[in-house]
């Protein structure tokens, strides 16, 4: 597991020399150096152990960089010689791990970098979660998820009890719930989110007697299907006007509807007659006509 | 990096803020507020709107400046302007509530229009500042609580208020759930809990199962228009009728008089939680023939108070029955009842709860503070390092979400009380040849007919490719995240391409 370090400063020359210095002195480190805040968008910030930031002490630039800086685990601030008070305040306010004033003593910086890294690795206990084993487990489970039916998903047999379903559902949430992941690459977080959604779906079927019996039948009838069919069984309201195919007829239908909303059923009747003459088989137009006739007291 | 997250209870009447510091949830002091920690959720615009007062200062001078003092904004934030309850409250509030874009609500202050989100953001900003003063540095991460029965627009509006206040809203969490976290966190409980949350403006009941720091919400139910304000209103109504019948006069109600009556009602209500009886005294309110104004004086005891508020409390108990039913539990399966919210302090409310749950409720001294404390506990778990034994919270979707179908019917897509996050997909098609957009109405609530349901907004698939009618197969994914907020995305099943889709929520300006 490499230590990830970002260096962000606006002086290109200084940046490159610092990059070289840190890469060579901090063993096992992966250094990403840039002058542009926006280039950091491609980096998974929460997994970065340290960020060294400098020369952003114009408050406007600082505010732009802040959301980025806040995501990394630690940062060290290198303050400008000409604005020491402001940089010190910022270092304090936003919890910098260390603060240095330029010109910089490279030994002092290195010492501080090593201290921060040591602390960060101990404190974050990254091995806890980003052990290769865990990454393998979650990746494997996520990849296989679509092949499981809900029972297999929970690691259960079809004749399991409700208590077993609940127990394994809870165990799964304890392991994979997205709220538990913070300093992990976003792919892991996304996997945990998708797994939890599926767990909730599976639980909402297996803990629901009606759904469970439909689902069990489905599994027998079609072994290919793995998930409950939650889709609507009824046609949705497609803005009923849209069912009228002829454009002119649709225009008249719209006018008729407007007139009906204003209780002007006489005008609506004329407009509907026009519409129906252009499109005879629309159930929607027929429905409107019935309503208009009812309101005008005409028997259909 | 700073490892702190604020827990903010943005209440109808008061706001409190907490943080987990040194391993403990602590209330953050707010100087100059009630007990130096409970800030009235009141914002006053003074000096032609050039200056803004927030909290107790604003509340204390409410009667001097009723038109420009905004209180109980939580009752209407994220509501549709055309909603009957909005209209009812717009009439009650001394400040001016007007309609904005997309059926949203705006408040008119000195000729300018501001949104309820902005009002709430001013309250949140003060809470955030208090935290910075207390901790010595700025904290922007926050968990904000909302009533469990809050709908889509109300949740989104609260998120927006947080953003406007410069906060990074990590989570919107339901108030009773937060209270349960504060009650059950780290206690190695193995219980089923009912949280009875009767606040200033809303009532919620949530049934949870807690086991080794695993919090699973079984059901939740509530009414976003049932709370202490209604008790005040019932008392005001009683006083008006009492004055008018006993003195044979007609009261010409104006904003100032209404504000005075509401303040008195609030005082009576609070006093009767500790006193057996209390004297009402309102100076110079009753007009006599000679043009003079005399005082209104009378005594009100707990029994009379009980009669006045009985119908309101009965509603809360009815909703509790529904929640128990939805949790598939019987009363004897509930191990503990936690009371939360100002209105739960009323002895008669406690009596009714005891009778219903067949056990005395648990009402901590810090009950006004537990919600923000619970929110800060959740915030702290969100930034803690991974461990399997860390607390987990599984909350549910409080209101069903459905789609309008042909005729007056609504087809439910996601049922209420399903665990979050959850996802449902559905396939939609074009109704005629070369149709370039499809609009789908989205509803929220239990009713299965459109006419009785709450239209949340609509979903539009735009820039559809040309196809014969019925040929397009667009799969729309509805995902409700852990905030209880709906996200949608769509894919053209034939081409596998992402389909453009937009979700328009009524009551929110786009």
């Amino acid at each position: 597991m490499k230590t990830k370090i970002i260096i962000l400063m606006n002086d290109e020359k200084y940046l490159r020399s610092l990059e070289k210095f840190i890469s060579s002195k901090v063993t096992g480190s992966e250094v990403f150096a840039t002058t542009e805040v926006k280039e950091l968008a491609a980096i998974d910030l929460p997994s970065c152990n340290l960020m060294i930031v400098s020369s952003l002490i114009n408050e406007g630039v600082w505010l732009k960089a802040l959301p980025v800086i806040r995501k990394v685990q630690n940062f060290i601030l290198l303050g400008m010689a000409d604005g020491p008070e402001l940089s010190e305040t910022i270092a304090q306010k936003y919890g910098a791990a260390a603060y240095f004033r330029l010109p910089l003593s490279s030994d002092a910086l290195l010492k501080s970098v090593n201290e921060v890294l040591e602390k960060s690795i101990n404190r974050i206990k990254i091995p806890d979660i980003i052990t290769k084993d865990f990454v393998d487990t979650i990746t494997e489970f996520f990849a296989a998820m679509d092949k499981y039916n809900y029972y297999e998903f929970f690691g259960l047999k079809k004749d399991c009890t409700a208590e077993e379903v609940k127990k394994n559902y809870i165990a799964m949430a304890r392991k994979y719930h997205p709220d538990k992941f913070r300093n992990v690459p976003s792919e892991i977080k996304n996997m945990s989110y998708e797994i939890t959604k599926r767990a909730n779906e599976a639980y909402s079927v297996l803990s629901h007697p009606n759904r469970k019996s439909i689902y069990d039948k489905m599994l027998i009838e079609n072994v290919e299907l793995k998930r409950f069919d939650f889709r609507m069984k009824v046609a949705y309201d497609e803005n009923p006007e849209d069912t009228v195919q002829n454009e002119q007829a649709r225009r008249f239908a719209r006018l008729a509807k407007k007139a009906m909303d204003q209780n002007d059923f006489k005008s609506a009747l004329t407009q509907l007659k026009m519409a129906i003459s252009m499109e005879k088989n629309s159930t929607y137009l027929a429905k409107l006509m019935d309503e208009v006739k009812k309101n005008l007291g005409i028997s259909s | 990096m700073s490892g702190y997250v604020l827990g903010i209870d943005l209440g109808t009447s008061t706001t409190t803020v907490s943080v987990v510091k040194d391993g403990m949830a602590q209330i953050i002091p707010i100087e100059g507020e009630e007990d130096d920690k409970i800030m009235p959720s009141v914002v006053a615009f003074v000096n032609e709107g050039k200056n803004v007062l927030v909290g107790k200062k604003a509340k204390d001078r409410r009667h001097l400046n009723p038109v420009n003092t905004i209180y109980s904004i939580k009752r209407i934030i994220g509501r549709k302007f055309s909603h009957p309850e909005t209209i009812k409250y717009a009439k009650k509030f001394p400040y001016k509530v007007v309609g904005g874009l997309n059926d949203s609500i705006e408040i008119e202050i000195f000729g300018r229009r501001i949104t309820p989100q902005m009002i709430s953001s001013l309250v949140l900003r003060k809470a955030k500042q208090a935290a910075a003063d207390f901790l010595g540095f700025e904290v922007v991460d926050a968990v904000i609580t909302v009533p469990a029965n809050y709908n889509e627009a109300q949740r989104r509006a609260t998120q927006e208020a947080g953003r406007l206040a410069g906060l990074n809203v990590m989570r919107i969490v339901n108030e009773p759930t937060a209270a349960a976290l504060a009650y059950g966190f780290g206690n190695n409980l193995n219980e089923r809990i009912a949280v009875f949350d009767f606040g200033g403006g809303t009532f919620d009941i949530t049934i949870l199962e807690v086991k080794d720091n695993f919090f699973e919400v079984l059901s939740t139910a509530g009414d976003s228009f049932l709370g202490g304000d209604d008790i005040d209103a019932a008392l005001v109504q009683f006083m008006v009728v009492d004055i008018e019948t006993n003195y044979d006069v007609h009261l010409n109600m104006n904003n100032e008089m209404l504000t005075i009556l509401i303040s008195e009602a609030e005082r009576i209500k609070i006093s009767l939680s500790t006193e057996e009886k209390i004297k009402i005294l309102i100076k110079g309110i009753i007009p006599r023939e000679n043009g003079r104004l005399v005082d209104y004086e009378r005594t009100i005891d707990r029994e009379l108070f009980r009669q006045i508020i009985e119908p309101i409390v009965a509603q809360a108990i009815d909703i509790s029955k529904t929640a128990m039913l939805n949790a598939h539990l019987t009363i004897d399966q509930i191990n503990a009842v936690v009371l939360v919210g100002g209105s739960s302090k009323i002895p008669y409310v406690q009596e009714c709860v005891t009778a219903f749950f067949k056990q005395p409720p648990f009402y901590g001294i810090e009950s006004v503070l537990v919600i923000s404390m619970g929110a800060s506990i959740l915030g702290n778990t969100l930034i803690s390092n991974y461990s399997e034994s860390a607390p987990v919270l599984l909350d549910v979707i409080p209101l069903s979400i459905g789609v309008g179908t042909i005729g007056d019917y609504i087809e439910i897509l996601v049922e209420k009380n399903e665990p979050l996050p959850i996802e449902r997909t559905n396939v939609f098609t074009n109704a005629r040849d070369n149709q370039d957009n499809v609009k789908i109405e989205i509803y929220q609530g239990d009713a299965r007919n459109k006419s009785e349901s709450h239209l949340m907004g609509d979903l539009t698939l735009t820039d559809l490719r040309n196809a014969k009618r019925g040929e397009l197969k667009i799969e729309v994914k509805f995902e409700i995240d852990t905030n209880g907020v709906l996200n949608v995305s769509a894919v053209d099943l034939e081409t596998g391409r992402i389909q453009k889709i937009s979700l328009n929520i009524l009551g929110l300006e786009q």
Side-chain angles (χ1 to χ4, degrees), chain A residues 70 72-73 93 123 128 166 174-175 179-180 182 193 197 200 204 211 235-237 242 245 250, chain B residues 1 137 141 171 209 212 216 383 386-387 404-405 418 420-421 423 429 431-432 435 450 479:
Chain A
R70 292 185 62 259
V72 300
Q73 295 166 15
K93 200 166 157 188
R123 187 173 62 87
D128 237 18
K166 181 151 194 171
R174 281 203 186 280
K175 198 166 176 183
D179 283 358
K180 295 182 156 253
R182 177 188 173 217
Y193 198 72
K197 271 196 300 191
N200 284 341
S204 78
R211 286 181 190 161
Y236 62 95
D237 193 343
D242 287 342
Q245 305 292 318
R250 205 157 59 237
Chain B
M1 301 293 344
F137 47 83
D141 290 328
R171 180 64 50 85
E209 191 166 279
D212 307 324
E216 185 194 353
I383 59 158
Y386 180 85
S387 96
T405 66
E418 299 264 12
L420 295 176
E423 164 195 312
T429 186
R432 61 186 151 80
Q435 190 177 342
K450 289 182 193 171
E479 184 191 272

Side-chain angles (χ1 to χ4, degrees), chain B residues 355-366:
Chain B
F356 179 72
F357 285 103
K358 296 183 183 141
Q359 61 185 301
F362 175 92
Y363 193 92
I365 320 156
E366 306 250 68

Side-chain angles (χ1 to χ4, degrees), chain B residues 406-465:
Chain B
I406 288 187
D408 185 38
Y409 296 105
I410 294 170
E411 180 78 4
I412 301 293
L413 273 185
V414 189
E415 299 237 20
K416 65 174 177 187
N417 293 322
E418 299 264 12
L420 295 176
I422 202 151
E423 164 195 312
R424 295 277 188 266
T425 55
N426 239 297
V427 177
F428 296 90
T429 186
N430 53 338
R432 61 186 151 80
D433 298 350
N434 302 334
Q435 190 177 342
D436 87 326
N437 70 75
V438 169
K439 206 173 192 175
I440 302 154
E441 288 177 332
I442 308 287
Y443 290 83
Q444 205 164 22
D446 287 340
R448 301 289 162 122
N449 333 33
K450 289 182 193 171
S451 41
E452 288 167 23
S453 199
H454 170 82
L455 179 62
M456 180 212 277
D458 49 53
L459 200 65
T460 314
L461 299 162
T462 53
D463 301 346
L464 293 168
R465 66 184 165 86

Side-chain angles (χ1 to χ4, degrees), chain A residues 19-258:
Chain A
E19 179 185 13
K20 221 165 143 189
F21 174 73
I22 297 284
S23 319
S24 62
K25 296 285 182 186
V26 183
T27 44
S29 68
E30 187 185 319
V31 180
F32 180 83
T34 180
T35 56
E36 295 292 326
V37 176
K38 58 175 188 275
E39 278 194 20
L40 298 176
I43 294 189
D44 183 53
L45 296 165
S47 69
C48 285
N49 303 77
L50 175 65
M51 182 159 169
I52 301 173
V53 204
S54 130
S55 303
L56 293 164
I57 305 309
N58 164 331
E59 197 145 24
V61 184
W62 174 259
L63 285 178
K64 232 188 250 166
L66 189 62
V68 171
I69 297 170
R70 292 185 62 259
K71 284 189 185 145
V72 300
Q73 295 166 15
N74 295 286
F75 78 97
I76 290 178
L77 192 69
L78 308 181
M80 290 293 287
D82 54 353
E85 277 146 38
L86 185 56
S87 12
E88 247 182 280
T89 320
I90 285 176
Q92 253 176 19
K93 200 166 157 188
Y94 298 101
Y99 165 69
F100 292 99
R101 231 173 108 171
L102 298 175
L104 187 66
S105 138
S106 50
D107 283 346
L109 177 66
L110 186 61
K111 190 169 162 241
S112 168
V113 166
N114 279 325
E115 265 174 28
V116 171
L117 288 179
E118 199 174 312
K119 244 178 32 202
S120 130
I121 288 162
N122 287 339
R123 187 173 62 87
I124 304 288
K125 280 205 201 142
I126 288 169
D128 237 18
I129 160 84
I130 314 202
T131 53
K132 203 176 161 308
D133 277 358
F134 188 90
V135 174
D136 288 350
T137 314
I138 191 168
T139 312
E140 217 170 276
F141 190 80
F142 176 72
M145 192 166 83
D146 286 338
K147 285 182 244 146
Y148 296 148
N149 68 35
Y150 295 151
Y151 294 100
E152 291 159 349
F153 182 89
F154 288 131
L156 292 167
K157 294 219 173 79
K158 261 187 87 177
D159 57 359
C160 62
T161 64
E163 286 73 36
E164 284 174 310
V165 170
K166 181 151 194 171
K167 199 178 141 217
N168 289 20
Y169 167 64
I170 289 177
M172 194 145 271
R174 281 203 186 280
K175 198 166 176 183
Y176 293 125
H177 196 282
D179 283 358
K180 295 182 156 253
F181 300 94
R182 177 188 173 217
N183 295 310
V184 301
S186 45
E187 310 92 75
I188 308 270
K189 190 144 186 155
N190 289 343
M191 285 187 224
S192 83
Y193 198 72
E194 293 300 318
I195 292 172
T196 303
K197 271 196 300 191
R198 188 65 58 85
N200 284 341
E201 177 183 312
Y203 185 63
S204 78
V205 171
L206 299 188
S207 66
H208 189 299
N210 280 347
R211 286 181 190 161
K212 186 177 183 296
S213 76
I214 296 171
Y215 181 69
D216 287 346
K217 236 179 262 164
M218 184 200 93
L219 285 185
I220 296 166
E221 284 161 11
N222 191 341
V223 284
E224 292 297 304
L225 292 177
K226 304 297 179 197
R227 293 168 71 182
F228 188 85
D229 185 6
F230 280 102
R231 283 174 303 180
M232 303 188 323
K233 306 295 181 288
V234 186
Y236 62 95
D237 193 343
E238 39 210 351
N239 209 4
E241 264 165 43
D242 287 342
T243 57
V244 181
Q245 305 292 318
N246 180 299
E247 204 181 323
Q248 288 293 334
R250 205 157 59 237
R251 194 169 293 155
F252 279 111
R254 217 170 285 148
L255 287 170
K257 189 84 202 348
K258 208 168 173 187

Side-chain angles (χ1 to χ4, degrees), chain B residues 80 384 485:
Chain B
K80 291 191 275 196
S384 296
V485 168

Side-chain angles (χ1 to χ4, degrees), chain B residues 28 39 101 126 171 180 201 303 309-310 321 340 354 450 492:
Chain B
I28 289 172
M39 168 169 62
L101 287 173
K126 182 157 178 179
R171 180 64 50 85
E303 173 54 28
I309 66 169
E310 205 174 344
K321 278 181 200 154
V340 193
T354 309
K450 289 182 193 171
D492 184 331

